Amino acid sequence: MQARRMQPLLEKDVALEWGTIRVLLLNSNDFLNSSARISHYLENPVFAGRVFTVPLVQYYWKRKRQLRFEELFYGCNFSQEDLSQFSREYGEQLSVEERWLLESSGNLSSPAYFAILRAPDLVSDQNLFQCELTLKHELSHGLFYLNPNYREFVGRLWLGLSGEKRLDLTRKYRYFYIDERIADEWSTHIVASFELDQILDISESDYLALKNLYWNSLGREQFLELKDELYAVLGSKP
C-alpha cells in the first residue's frame, strides 16, 4: 500500500558538492508523527536503538520537562542511511508519516540528509527568527555528515578542548544525546544558537574559521534564497 502523502509546507533540496540536504517544513502533527521516533531512536540516550511508540516519547518528555515533543523540539535531522536503518528495525510498525519519508527518499541520490523543521503555530517575529535559526542549525548537521572537511575541522576543535571541558560538555549534552552525537551537536550550537556558552568554548579565530567553513560549504546565496522561501511560506518576509 502506498503511504499517505504528507503535505510539507516547504520541500527543498539543497545540492552540495558532497550530497544533498532535503529541507522539509512540517506542521506540528506531521513533525511529531514523522520525526519523534526516528530522532529518539538515533540519538536519545534512553531510546537509542529501541523499538517504542510516539505516546511513550510524549509521556517521557511530559514527565521530564512538562512539554510535548512538538513543543520542546524545533527541528530534527538524520541521514538517508539512518532512515533506512530505522525503517528496517520498525518494519510494519512504521507510521504513515514515517513511511512517506522513506518512500519519498527514493528519489534522492546518496548520500543525502534530512533537515526537518517544525512550523510555528503562531507567526511572530520571534517565532520566525527561531525557525530561521533552526534551519541554520539543521543544515550544520547536514554539513557535518556530508562534508569530510567540515567534520574533520569540528573534530579538531573538539579534541582541542581540555579533557575536563569535554567531560563537562558530555555530561551536559547527555540529557538529550548519545555520546557519538555530542561533538556534532556542540559545534552546531556554535554555528546557530541563542546561547553564548558554546561560542566561548573556542577562540575567536577558530570561531570565525568554523563560520567561514560553514558558509563556504553551504553557499550564502543558496541559504538566503532558502530563507526567503521559508519566510514567504510562513506568511512574512525578512
Side-chain angles (χ1 to χ4, degrees):
M1 180 185 300
Q2 189 176 25
R4 175 184 75 84
R5 173 164 175 83
M6 287 197 304
Q7 296 293 329
L9 303 174
L10 176 66
E11 179 176 348
K12 184 80 170 183
D13 288 348
V14 179
L16 303 172
E17 177 183 345
W18 313 272
T20 303
I21 303 176
R22 174 161 289 176
V23 177
L24 296 172
L25 177 68
L26 304 178
N27 65 44
S28 294
N29 188 62
D30 283 345
F31 177 70
L32 168 67
N33 289 305
S34 67
S35 306
R37 289 204 298 182
I38 184 170
S39 62
H40 283 62
Y41 173 84
L42 293 169
E43 62 187 22
N44 182 275
V46 173
F47 292 97
R50 296 173 54 193
V51 175
F52 52 90
T53 64
V54 170
L56 185 58
V57 174
Q58 297 289 51
Y59 174 78
Y60 176 78
W61 288 116
K62 287 291 282 187
R63 288 290 301 272
K64 296 280 281 188
R65 298 289 290 270
Q66 292 76 55
L67 292 169
R68 297 190 303 270
F69 169 84
E70 66 274 24
E71 295 170 322
L72 183 59
F73 294 94
Y74 297 108
C76 69
N77 62 91
F78 45 85
S79 69
Q80 187 179 36
E81 183 179 356
D82 290 332
L83 178 59
S84 296
Q85 175 191 338
F86 171 81
S87 301
R88 288 192 298 269
E89 181 76 35
Y90 276 74
E92 293 303 314
Q93 299 181 56
L94 291 174
S95 69
V96 291
E97 293 85 359
E98 291 163 345
R99 194 171 299 280
W100 178 85
L101 272 181
L102 177 65
E103 294 184 2
S104 69
S105 71
N107 63 2
L108 279 170
S109 299
S110 295
Y113 207 81
F114 286 86
I116 302 184
L117 315 178
R118 174 179 62 80
D121 294 325
L122 176 67
V123 176
S124 66
D125 288 345
Q126 180 177 348
N127 287 341
L128 290 171
F129 179 70
Q130 177 63 68
C131 202
E132 177 187 336
L133 195 67
T134 303
L135 172 63
K136 196 178 296 183
H137 178 109
E138 304 304 346
L139 289 173
S140 176
H141 285 302
L143 292 178
F144 183 89
Y145 178 81
L146 292 170
N147 181 353
N149 292 329
Y150 192 88
R151 188 166 57 250
E152 289 167 11
F153 186 73
V154 168
R156 289 199 299 273
L157 292 179
W158 177 252
L159 293 176
L161 301 174
S162 69
E164 181 180 2
K165 183 62 179 178
R166 288 199 304 274
L167 182 58
D168 286 343
L169 286 166
T170 298
R171 287 170 177 158
K172 175 182 178 179
Y173 277 99
R174 272 181 183 158
Y175 186 82
F176 288 102
Y177 306 104
I178 60 174
D179 288 4
E180 294 82 354
R181 300 270 175 163
I182 289 174
D184 177 18
E185 197 66 38
W186 167 76
S187 68
T188 298
H189 280 106
I190 294 174
V191 169
S193 176
F194 284 123
E195 304 170 33
L196 271 177
D197 288 354
Q198 294 89 342
I199 295 174
L200 297 176
D201 288 337
I202 59 176
S203 68
E204 182 178 352
S205 60
D206 282 340
Y207 171 72
L208 292 175
L210 178 61
K211 295 284 279 191
N212 284 334
L213 185 55
Y214 177 91
W215 289 118
N216 289 337
S217 299
L218 183 61
R220 187 178 292 272
E221 289 302 318
Q222 184 165 222
F223 174 82
L224 291 175
E225 290 177 8
L226 184 56
K227 187 193 77 168
D228 286 349
E229 290 188 52
L230 180 68
Y231 273 78
V233 166
L234 292 173
S236 182
K237 291 189 180 292

